Amino acid sequence: MRPYPILLLPTILIFSACQNLSHHSSRETLPEPAQPAGQAYQCGDLRIAALADGDMMILVLPRGDLRLAPVVAASGARYADEVGNEFWDKGQKEALLSLEGGASLECKGTEAPSPWAEARRRGVRFRGVGQEPGWVVELDRGEAAGMRLLLDYGRHELRFPTTRQIRDEMSDTQYFIGETNQTRAELRVRREPCRDTMSGELFQTSAELRINAETLRGCGRYFSD
């Protein structure tokens, strides 16, 4: 992957169906209070976090949060919802996880945090990931949200203090555009099923990242909209 920055491309044209939501601004927004990250578990290839919320259990997954209610269990603490998602805490940081009625996965507690739970705890608005080469994007909250990029498996980092946001109502797509003197990054987020090419995890949004002349594709999720 080429080092960044590369060259500055001209601004893309946005179709008339798009509505400009905000403009590049130096105004900063105050971060929301950090939320607890919960206990991390490794369930096969999937790392999740389990967070108690009163009697309920919140599971933080890459695809989104699951809010499960307590159900009767012969031992331990068991939580489920009406569509077949279930988390059975056996104690001693061991658990079973079933998603949408599928086969149970054995889960082991781990000290390594879930990156999705950490993003949620820090008040991130959106997080997206892609593979080959690996990349990560995180958006802050607010009308002129900052954007942080980790590129080429974390070898390069780009930060944009503010972004312009554009929404295309017809395709349920949002664009987040960050610019510096030498680099232009455009993140396109669309609400549509998206499967991670490495983990096989199913997400509810796709993410396309354009950095100057390069296009990267992946998946992601909103923590708030």
Side-chain angles (χ1 to χ4, degrees), residues 98-202:
S98 178
L99 298 176
E100 297 179 354
S104 294
L105 298 173
E106 292 188 0
C107 302
K108 299 287 187 181
T110 175
E111 297 302 318
S114 159
W116 301 94
E118 283 297 299
R120 181 182 186 273
R121 182 186 65 82
R122 289 185 281 108
V124 168
R125 177 184 180 185
F126 176 86
R127 185 175 193 267
V129 297
Q131 312 296 340
E132 297 182 359
W135 59 271
V136 176
V137 60
E138 289 185 348
L139 283 170
D140 297 332
R141 305 187 190 208
E143 293 183 356
M147 181 165 62
R148 174 174 175 258
L149 310 178
L150 291 176
L151 306 168
D152 198 12
Y153 302 102
R155 294 187 181 95
H156 304 283
E157 180 176 2
L158 293 176
R159 289 180 180 267
F160 300 89
T162 59
T163 57
R164 290 187 293 117
Q165 301 179 34
I166 299 168
R167 182 189 295 272
D168 185 342
E169 300 286 357
M170 294 182 64
S171 63
D172 201 7
T173 302
Q174 282 189 278
Y175 298 85
F176 302 88
I177 302 168
E179 294 178 290
T180 65
N181 291 336
Q182 295 179 299
T183 305
R184 183 180 192 278
E186 175 192 318
L187 174 66
R188 188 207 70 175
V189 180
R190 176 174 293 171
R191 292 190 183 278
E192 61 182 358
C194 179
R195 191 172 295 278
D196 185 89
T197 57
M198 181 173 291
S199 68
E201 177 69 19
L202 182 64

Side-chain angles (χ1 to χ4, degrees), residues 38 58 71 84 156 207 218 222:
I58 297 175
V71 295
H156 304 283
Y222 282 102

